[in-house]
Amino acid sequence: MSRIDSAEVIITSPGRNFVTLKITTSDGVVGLGDATVNGRELAVASYLTDHVAPLLIGRDPANIEDTWQYLYRGAYWRRGPITMAAVAAVDVALWDIKAKVAGLPLYQLLGGASRKGALAYGHASGTTTEALFDSVRNHLDLGFRAIRIQTGVPGLGQVYGVAGDQRPGQRYDYEPARRNVVAGRALPVEEEWDTAAYLRHIPGVFEAVRHEFGPDLPLLHDGHHRMRPIEAARLARDLEPYRLFWLEDATPGEDPDALRLIRQHSTTPLAIGEVFNTAFDYQTLVTERLIDFVRSAVTHTGGITHMRKLLDFAGLYGIRSGMHGPTDVSPVGMAAALHLDLAIHNFGIQEYMKHSDTTLEVFRTSYTFTDGLLHPGVNPGLGVDLDEDLAARFEYTPAYLPINRTLDGTVHDW
Ligand code: EZ4
Ligand code: CO
């Protein structure tokens, strides 16, 4: 029997922070798992190093389901983003090992390919409509066949999800977490937010985009959890003529009843779940058909083992996948998503923000993006190698997601 010999946590920051779990077996096989939780990286690193790695030594790496249940139930304190990212990292590393031992790309162990590649959507954004159009054209030139639309709002400064100083032709390079040091302390940036101004502005933006780019291009929009239920219902209704692929995170994730209210008023497809971490978070949303897409990331929702169950469950209700794929999911987490995307039947779309060149030097990936489709590649396992010497050169640097305040200074949902 093969044994787990070591489980090490590698923290690196090639432009942004990543936490990676590296499991090595007694046969010398190495598996990688992503454990990056944006802005809370050291919490999950400690969870793994102090409470999970010691438990793994000597276990059979082949028994993935058993290890998943052992960690999930054994913790007693079930669920939560830190716990589930830690469990996910172990799970993905063990799937990587199993597929390497089999000499197969991971998707083959998940049932093989159900499609040629995973339809990806890119993030177009602009502080003005003109800048947005330029960004959309840039994405079309890159081959994207589906595009998320975010814009600035008149009267507000920097808005979350919108790249700041974009120049024509420049690669979209928005990084949600920011390194902001005030008097020696890393603090979240504080941004202004006004929902009424946003609700007035967005329908016109979509009208302009449809006018410019036609009726066929799949368009998506992310509300970043910023609306109250009735505001979200209004926006979903106002956007109906523009036939969105989805409206994402219209309301805060912890309130599933809010989606029921949106549903009562609109046929705009709804997506939610990037801040969810178990299938239980989706139970009502799925059985009552309150959503159309599951936004979880493999990295944040218990790994391949748990995501597969969640997506099979959602598939019974006609609900499809739309996995989270921001730059804070590492290339290891992205590769895991792509293997699952390729294998499941109820795939919908995959979010794709290309990592920086520096990140891709540290994490060497075999996945490809061609003609709008992502493919995990055919290397055994996940198909990602980590250059540890290079990784060690990029030290952890605190970076946080912004805080939103309304014009009177109240902390706002987002
Ligand atoms: O806010 O990844 O759909 N994508 C997003 C992202 C998330 C960040 C949080 O870490 O909403 O930009
Ligand atoms: Co989102």
Side-chain angles (χ1 to χ4, degrees), residues 46-124:
S46 157
Y47 191 110
L48 281 167
T49 306
D50 298 327
H51 303 294
V52 172
L55 279 53
L56 295 176
I57 310 305
R59 293 182 67 83
D60 184 346
N63 297 339
I64 301 177
E65 179 74 31
D66 182 67
T67 297
W68 196 96
Q69 301 295 345
Y70 173 84
L71 293 175
Y72 178 77
R73 295 176 200 285
Y76 187 73
W77 308 105
R78 296 178 191 176
R79 307 179 294 146
I82 304 301
T83 296
M84 295 309 286
V87 174
V90 174
D91 184 79
V92 170
L94 294 182
W95 276 109
D96 190 18
I97 288 168
K98 188 180 280 295
K100 280 176 181 163
V101 170
L104 293 168
L106 175 54
Y107 68 83
Q108 289 292 2
L109 302 191
L110 303 175
S114 286
R115 58 193 51 79
K116 284 185 289 185
L119 177 69
Y121 73 89
H123 289 197

Side-chain angles (χ1 to χ4, degrees), residues 239-260:
L239 292 178
E240 270 180 17
Y242 314 113
R243 300 291 165 106
L244 265 60
F245 187 93
W246 78 37
L247 173 61
E248 167 186 352
D249 292 345
T251 46
E254 60 268 40
D255 179 11
D257 282 347
L259 288 136
R260 185 176 290 118

Side-chain angles (χ1 to χ4, degrees), residues 121 123 148 160 222-225 248-249 274 295 324 351:
Y121 73 89
H123 289 197
R148 187 182 94 161
Y160 187 75
D222 194 340
H224 292 299
H225 311 110
E248 167 186 352
D249 292 345
E274 67 180 52
R295 287 285 291 139
H324 198 205
E351 182 179 25

Side-chain angles (χ1 to χ4, degrees), residues 94-152:
L94 294 182
W95 276 109
D96 190 18
I97 288 168
K98 188 180 280 295
K100 280 176 181 163
V101 170
L104 293 168
L106 175 54
Y107 68 83
Q108 289 292 2
L109 302 191
L110 303 175
S114 286
R115 58 193 51 79
K116 284 185 289 185
L119 177 69
Y121 73 89
H123 289 197
S125 76
T127 48
T128 62
T129 306
E130 251 165 71
L132 170 67
F133 282 7
D134 187 65
S135 177
V136 173
R137 281 188 204 102
N138 185 238
H139 278 81
L140 294 173
D141 291 346
L142 290 169
F144 280 99
R145 295 192 215 159
I147 296 182
R148 187 182 94 161
I149 300 290
Q150 306 294 127
T151 62

Side-chain angles (χ1 to χ4, degrees), residues 23-35:
I23 295 182
T24 308
T25 72
S26 51
D27 301 323
V29 183
V30 168
L32 299 178
D34 177 25

